[in-house]
Amino acid sequence: MGDSFYPLLGNNGYDVIHYHIDLDVEPSENTIDAVTTLTAVATEDLEQFNLDFLGLEVSVVSVDGVEAEFSRDGQEMTIQPVEPLPSGAQFTVAVSYSGTPQTIEDPGVPVTLGWHSASGVIYTASQPSGAMTWYPNNNHPSDKATFTFQLTVPDSVTAAATGLLSEETSADGLTTTTWHMDDPMATYLAAVYIGDFERHEQRLADGLLIRDYVPRGSDASVRDSLAVAPEAIRFFEEILGPYPFDAYGTIVMPFPLGFALENQTLSIHGPNTIYPYVIAHEVVHQWMGDSVTADDWSQTWLHEGFAHYLSLMFFADLTGQELVAIMAEEHRELSVAGTSPPGAIEAHELFDFNTVYRRGALTLYALHTLVGDDLFFSIVRTHYDQTAGGNTNTDLFLGIVDDLAGSEAVSLVESWLYDPEMPGIVSGPTL
Ligand code: ARG
Ligand code: ZN
């Protein structure tokens, strides 16, 4: 698809509308028996097309119910339907596969990605490239789709997925649950989790469903620490507008993780990250990252800069600290550490905390300081409203800054994003 850092991710020629992911999982063996069915529309005449899929054993592929030829080469699966697909045609591709999904290394992150099995738990963590380890897809955030997950697991474990639970049936010691994600979702934000979890459900005053999963038998303190998520949702709704999805929740693993991840409607955390700042950070991502997703992996500052800045704003409010003091300290520490420009990162810096998160947040803070509350929040809200459910990029954001605040504001943001030297903090209106 031409991503700057991941040229092999995603494929042209079609647009996926829906994924139906049907997984029978044997957790004790870490094996799956699966059928993923994509519904897509051809955007050009197609004699063949590619999906991204790595590992596992594919037994059969069919297009519109007719068995099709396929070949595999690394992460590329090429499918040749019996009849070419004319541009504009809607079609379905069903891929049957089985085996043990593998994790993968990705140059953009220091952790393994994809399907993991550890200590009796299965979880997926896919940002950016890992989704292709457990279902075939068009693995780029610029092709979002709706999803259904159908998970069959032994009765002794609980399964969960990103989206709303709509059905649960049991037979012969197996339980099948069905989950719907009716809002567009990037492939990397789809997730499944299987293990001995307790589900805790509540409705907020406006009806929003919150469902959290914690390891069975967890201390009450684990659940208690998740209570900050609804507060964060309320706080960010004031800034960004109504929460974008049908539900939110946190799933806590029974072991520490080297990250937390904003899987759509159900963020994954380890017990080592269930603190207000990180919980709020993953909540911001539901708007900035999940509902609105950068259209190229070089643009992660748009996810992480917003998540870091707005969660520091929440943290300041929660703890009664001055945002100005927190940001001054961020700037001081970064000045000592040195940074690179967040708008011009390299492939290994996707989630570099100093460059992308902290200088990304300071970029937004510099804009906030220059233009003041009213204009800043109007820029942030206009950008979100114009891109919700879709994609964004830095130029699009700068266009809105230009329209609402003018060229001086654009130059300031550009210097924070692109200058090798980090600019100084200029004091402005009291925030
Ligand atoms: N977007 C994640 C966050 O909230 C980044 C975690 C890095 N790990 C990963 N697999 N992408 O900070
Ligand atoms: Zn983040």
Side-chain angles (χ1 to χ4, degrees):
M1 260 186 164
D3 189 89
S4 322
F5 294 156
Y6 298 89
L8 291 182
L9 289 187
N11 305 279
N12 291 315
Y14 62 92
D15 181 11
V16 183
I17 299 169
H18 188 74
Y19 291 92
H20 183 110
I21 302 174
D22 184 343
L23 300 176
D24 287 13
V25 184
E26 182 40 80
S28 59
E29 312 270 310
N30 190 26
T31 53
I32 64 172
D33 197 357
V35 183
T36 289
T37 306
L38 295 77
T39 304
V41 173
T43 53
E44 54 191 72
D45 294 342
L46 293 176
E47 279 181 14
Q48 57 173 50
F49 58 90
N50 278 19
L51 299 178
D52 299 304
F53 195 39
L54 192 61
L56 294 159
E57 187 74 31
V58 176
S59 54
V60 60
V61 176
S62 62
V63 176
D64 290 331
V66 180
E67 194 167 337
E69 300 268 319
F70 68 93
S71 60
R72 302 184 69 187
D73 181 9
Q75 69 190 59
E76 298 296 329
M77 179 158 85
T78 304
I79 297 168
Q80 209 168 345
V82 172
E83 297 288 330
L85 297 160
S87 180
Q90 182 170 317
F91 61 100
T92 60
V93 193
V95 180
S96 303
Y97 55 100
S98 60
T100 298
Q102 309 294 312
T103 56
I104 57 168
E105 306 287 332
D106 181 309
V109 267
V111 297
T112 58
L113 298 181
W115 179 282
H116 293 76
S117 170
S119 310
V121 169
I122 285 171
Y123 69 93
T124 63
S126 298
Q127 186 189 38
S129 64
M132 62 192 175
T133 65
W134 57 283
Y135 67 103
N137 57 51
N138 195 28
N139 206 8
H140 195 269
S142 55
D143 187 3
K144 296 189 181 189
T146 55
F147 283 69
T148 306
F149 303 87
Q150 197 173 312
L151 308 175
T152 302
V153 299
D155 289 342
S156 54
V157 289
T158 300
T162 37
L164 283 186
L165 176 61
S166 69
E167 233 186 285
E168 177 160 351
T169 57
S170 284
D172 306 326
L174 299 176
T175 299
T176 299
T177 48
T178 306
W179 308 79
H180 291 280
M181 170 54 67
D182 292 336
D183 291 297
M185 177 160 73
T187 52
Y188 79 89
L189 294 167
V192 301
Y193 311 102
I194 298 163
D196 194 13
F197 294 103
E198 295 168 10
R199 174 182 165 108
H200 296 284
E201 213 177 283
Q202 57 170 310
R203 294 251 171 210
L204 303 189
D206 67 349
L208 180 66
L209 173 67
I210 304 288
R211 74 282 183 260
D212 295 317
Y213 292 83
V214 300
R216 191 169 306 285
S218 295
D219 274 16
S221 64
V222 174
R223 267 180 77 190
D224 291 350
S225 48
L226 308 184
V228 75
E231 291 176 52
I233 290 172
R234 293 295 164 251
F235 186 87
F236 301 130
E237 281 187 325
E238 294 291 318
I239 298 171
L240 291 158
Y243 178 76
F245 306 120
D246 293 328
Y248 186 67
T250 306
I251 184 162
V252 184
M253 295 293 115
F255 39 74
L257 288 178
F259 58 90
L261 195 59
E262 63 267 25
N263 292 329
Q264 192 157 307
T265 72
L266 190 52
S267 297
I268 180 172
H269 283 255
N272 54 322
T273 64
I274 47 175
Y275 298 106
Y277 161 79
V278 190
I279 290 173
H281 179 106
E282 306 312 330
V283 170
V284 179
H285 277 314
Q286 301 302 309
W287 285 263
M288 298 302 308
D290 294 11
S291 175
V292 175
T293 313
D295 63 12
D296 192 277
W297 282 111
S298 62
Q299 315 265 304
T300 46
W301 84 271
L302 281 161
H303 298 187
E304 304 303 345
F306 270 104
H308 191 50
Y309 186 45
L310 297 189
S311 53
L312 286 178
M313 218 179 252
F314 172 75
F315 188 75
D317 187 70
L318 188 74
T319 58
Q321 296 179 58
E322 291 293 332
L323 182 65
V324 174
I326 292 177
M327 297 314 290
E329 179 60 15
E330 288 286 292
H331 189 267
R332 194 192 64 76
E333 288 177 22
L334 274 195
S335 307
V336 174
T339 62
S340 350
I345 56 170
E346 290 172 22
H348 65 276
E349 294 176 305
L350 244 49
F351 302 99
D352 185 279
F353 189 58
N354 282 351
T355 297
V356 173
Y357 293 59
R358 302 179 90 186
R359 188 161 153 184
L362 280 162
T363 300
L364 295 168
Y365 177 66
L367 175 65
H368 193 167
T369 304
L370 177 75
V371 303
D373 277 345
D374 287 355
L375 205 44
F376 178 72
F377 290 121
S378 136
I379 290 167
V380 168
R381 182 68 179 263
T382 302
H383 171 258
Y384 176 73
D385 287 345
Q386 285 188 11
T387 53
N391 297 104
T392 189
N393 55 54
T394 303
D395 287 344
L396 196 154
F397 178 72
L398 286 175
I400 291 166
V401 173
D402 195 18
D403 287 350
L404 297 181
S407 60
E408 186 199 348
V410 172
S411 306
L412 178 78
V413 173
E414 284 177 338
S415 66
W416 279 86
L417 288 180
Y418 301 119
D419 286 359
E421 282 292 304
M422 182 171 70
I425 287 191
V426 183
S427 59
T430 309
L431 304 176

